[in-house]
Amino acid sequence: MRKLSVLGVILFFCFSVTSVAQTEEEVSVPSESEKGVIKKKGWNFGALPTITYSSDLGLQYGALVNLFDYGESSYPVYEQSLYLEVSRFTKGTGNNRFYWDTKKLIPGVRMMSDISYITDKAAPLYGFNGYESVYHPDFIDEDADEFVSKFFYNYQRSFLRANVDFSWNIGNPHIKYFAGFNLLNFKVDRVDFDKLKKSDTTTLYDLYVANNIITEREKDGGFSTHLRLGAAFDTRNHEKTPSKGILTELMLDISPDFLGNMNGFSHGVVALSHKQFIPLLENQRLIGVYRVVVQQKVFGEIPFFLSQNMNYIWLGRFVNEGVGGATTVRGILKNSVIGDGAAFANVELRGIVTNFKFIKQNWSLYLNGFCDGGMVYDKRKIDFVALDADNPYFIQQGDDRFFTTGNDKPHLGAGMGLGLAMNRNFIIAADYGRALNKQDGKGAFYMGINFIL
């Protein structure tokens, strides 16, 4: 109940401080299906102080601006959007992002470009291959006898991401083709205990580096470039807040050596995503939503700092990481289900509690319940070096302190959430998920822009 109260206060605060502006005259044009809806023209924006909370990242503070251009008559479909965010989390993550989504630059082509710089003093590392890596909550519990450090399952990273993607139709308006180029530059290190003002102790990252599970070539990060090709079948009646339709995406992400990748990590990944929105009431105010995502390495070797990336044509949230956490399996440990082949699914019941108008904008309040699950079906290969048993970093294959045997099993989380949508495009979404197995953690609260489905 305390978490739900906090959620209510945060949503009320965000709702109260939202500022909006309109560069063209607003006109209300009621219709049989949209009686009383305020039609938007020209530029419209939402600006928020980003005071939110996530169990994974801590309290967030900063600011964001999201602008939508509806042109003369496209509402509620926007013609272009600009997004700018500068924010920090109390657990050490910093987000800096500029995103431009436009259909106006090239006739008949949608361009999506993103420049982001993310810093993370305590990125999660729980191991690989799901339940094959044993999670010990006592290692990070200061009251437990086996306590090591609050940062035992963390490492330090920062990365620059720059990409430009293009989408277009040929013939059938529901079939969309996609091509893009993505540049990533990661810097990785062990946790800086001095900056965090904590006593220096061994971390799982240290153990993995010493035992060659994280190799010398990848332990410091690196530079990679990616070519992305794909196609989608899209019948949704709206992109951000659909009430019916499907979206099926197939993507191939290739990172070849000839594009300048550092350390020889040439690889390719294929990803398939399918989601469907099913109206359960005639007025479409209650819908069932499900999503299934499968991602498989098809060649090469993926460095550990890229192994958590999930590939989608349209990126709904700031990052595309998982499986585990805010955008994939809510309630379980962030990025804890990692392998060469992984899959996850979401099932959600989403309803509109109320529609209303405020400060000359159209608003909808959503309530949802969900169940998520994911697992590794193709394990990441792990090689060990032969350390002397007296070495303080010594572990071995089959060491039951850190590893189990057998195939992975589903990692499940369930919970509830709220969403507040302005003009069907600017969405504040919050979820609380609970892990159904103690090996996946206890649970987590998330808040961000856009629904994950």
Side-chain angles (χ1 to χ4, degrees):
M1 291 300 295
R2 182 178 66 84
K3 287 185 172 67
L4 290 178
S5 299
V6 171
L7 170 59
V9 171
I10 293 171
L11 281 176
F12 177 78
F13 178 77
C14 292
F15 173 84
S16 301
V17 300
T18 299
S19 69
V20 292
Q22 192 75 13
T23 60
E24 300 285 346
E25 182 183 359
E26 297 157 348
V27 290
S28 181
V29 186
S31 68
E32 287 293 322
S33 61
E34 295 182 291
K35 195 169 183 179
V37 170
I38 300 172
K39 299 290 185 177
K40 315 302 293 184
K41 297 175 68 176
W43 284 97
N44 183 262
F45 75 86
L48 286 176
T50 50
I51 301 176
T52 68
Y53 178 79
S54 163
S55 299
D56 292 328
L57 303 174
L59 182 69
Q60 183 186 23
Y61 56 95
L64 67 85
V65 176
N66 202 178
L67 298 92
F68 297 94
D69 178 12
Y70 295 107
E72 291 299 316
S73 59
S74 69
Y75 181 82
V77 178
Y78 60 84
E79 295 183 354
Q80 57 182 336
S81 172
L82 295 171
Y83 180 95
L84 176 65
E85 178 181 344
V86 178
S87 65
R88 300 291 180 268
F89 289 86
T90 52
K91 290 188 179 181
T93 296
N95 291 340
N96 308 275
R97 186 189 189 198
F98 176 74
Y99 178 73
W100 182 26
D101 178 358
T102 180
K103 303 170 186 175
K104 289 187 169 182
L105 186 65
I106 305 172
V109 176
R110 179 177 182 178
M111 186 190 79
M112 298 158 284
S113 59
D114 175 280
I115 299 176
S116 301
Y117 180 63
I118 293 91
T119 57
D120 200 340
K121 295 179 182 177
L125 176 64
Y126 297 102
F128 306 115
N129 302 330
Y131 287 137
E132 185 178 86
S133 296
V134 179
Y135 168 64
H136 293 278
D138 286 352
F139 286 1
I140 58 174
D141 183 352
E142 292 178 311
D143 297 324
D145 292 337
E146 293 184 278
F147 174 71
V148 179
S149 168
K150 288 182 65 176
F151 299 98
F152 180 79
Y153 291 109
N154 297 106
Y155 68 102
Q156 182 180 195
R157 71 173 183 178
S158 64
F159 66 92
L160 174 69
R161 178 181 67 200
N163 65 272
V164 58
D165 302 311
F166 301 93
S167 175
W168 66 93
N169 301 96
I170 300 176
N172 191 325
H174 296 304
I175 299 177
K176 302 175 182 180
Y177 301 93
F178 172 88
F181 181 79
N182 192 12
L183 181 151
L184 291 163
N185 189 24
F186 277 79
K187 293 184 178 180
V188 171
D189 203 347
R190 69 189 306 271
V191 170
D192 189 333
F193 287 95
D194 288 337
K195 283 188 177 181
L196 295 172
K197 298 179 180 179
K198 300 290 183 180
S199 299
D200 196 330
T201 58
T202 299
T203 66
L204 188 65
Y205 172 83
D206 296 327
L207 294 174
Y208 275 22
V209 169
N211 289 272
N212 203 51
I213 300 170
I214 294 175
T215 66
E216 186 71 22
R217 291 187 300 143
E218 60 188 325
K219 71 180 181 65
D220 298 320
F223 176 86
S224 65
T225 51
H226 301 250
L227 294 175
R228 292 149 39 98
L229 301 170
F233 182 69
D234 187 1
T235 66
R236 295 171 299 169
N237 59 349
H238 191 262
E239 186 173 306
K240 296 293 185 70
T241 54
S243 58
K244 62 180 180 179
I246 67 173
L247 173 63
T248 303
E249 302 178 4
L250 179 64
M251 172 182 280
L252 177 64
D253 182 289
I254 304 172
S255 180
D257 284 338
F258 69 81
L259 287 179
N261 289 325
M262 292 175 62
N263 305 331
F265 285 109
S266 176
H267 65 273
V269 170
V270 64
L272 176 65
S273 171
H274 173 78
K275 54 186 170 182
Q276 184 171 5
F277 303 84
I278 306 168
L280 302 178
L281 296 177
E282 188 175 349
N283 62 9
Q284 299 183 10
R285 292 182 64 150
L286 180 66
I287 62 172
V289 188
Y290 72 88
R291 173 176 64 167
V292 179
V293 178
V294 180
Q295 180 165 294
Q296 175 66 52
K297 184 189 77 173
V298 290
F299 70 86
E301 183 181 359
I302 304 174
F304 95 94
F305 54 83
L306 287 179
S307 60
Q308 77 277 7
N309 281 6
M310 302 299 294
N311 289 280
Y312 313 105
I313 292 179
W314 287 282
L315 183 61
R317 287 283 179 94
F318 187 82
V319 294
N320 56 330
E321 295 184 338
V323 175
T327 62
T328 53
V329 181
R330 291 162 286 189
I332 76 170
L333 296 166
K334 182 181 178 183
N335 297 351
S336 60
V337 184
I338 293 174
D340 284 346
F344 70 91
N346 314 96
V347 178
E348 186 169 302
L349 186 66
R350 182 185 301 165
I352 298 177
V353 178
T354 184
N355 292 316
F356 58 97
K357 293 182 287 294
F358 178 63
I359 50 176
K360 297 184 179 181
Q361 311 299 317
N362 304 300
W363 299 83
S364 297
L365 179 64
Y366 291 82
L367 177 66
N368 67 285
F370 61 84
C371 183
D372 303 336
M375 64 180 292
V376 171
Y377 63 84
D378 184 12
K379 293 182 182 180
R380 178 185 174 95
K381 185 180 179 182
I382 297 177
D383 293 318
F384 289 76
V385 296
L387 290 181
D388 188 285
D390 294 329
N391 190 306
Y393 293 113
F394 172 77
I395 58 176
Q396 59 184 332
Q397 199 158 8
D399 189 328
D400 59 11
R401 296 174 300 166
F402 300 100
F403 304 103
T404 61
T405 57
N407 295 325
D408 196 22
K409 298 177 182 179
H411 305 250
L412 301 174
M416 297 183 68
L418 288 173
L420 184 65
M422 182 183 78
N423 298 324
R424 299 189 66 182
N425 289 302
F426 183 70
I427 303 160
I428 305 165
D431 296 307
Y432 176 73
R434 190 78 180 177
L436 303 187
N437 185 323
K438 64 180 182 180
Q439 271 293 295
D440 291 314
K442 295 180 179 180
F445 175 79
Y446 316 100
M447 194 167 184
I449 301 299
N450 295 327
F451 294 124
I452 72 165
L453 299 177

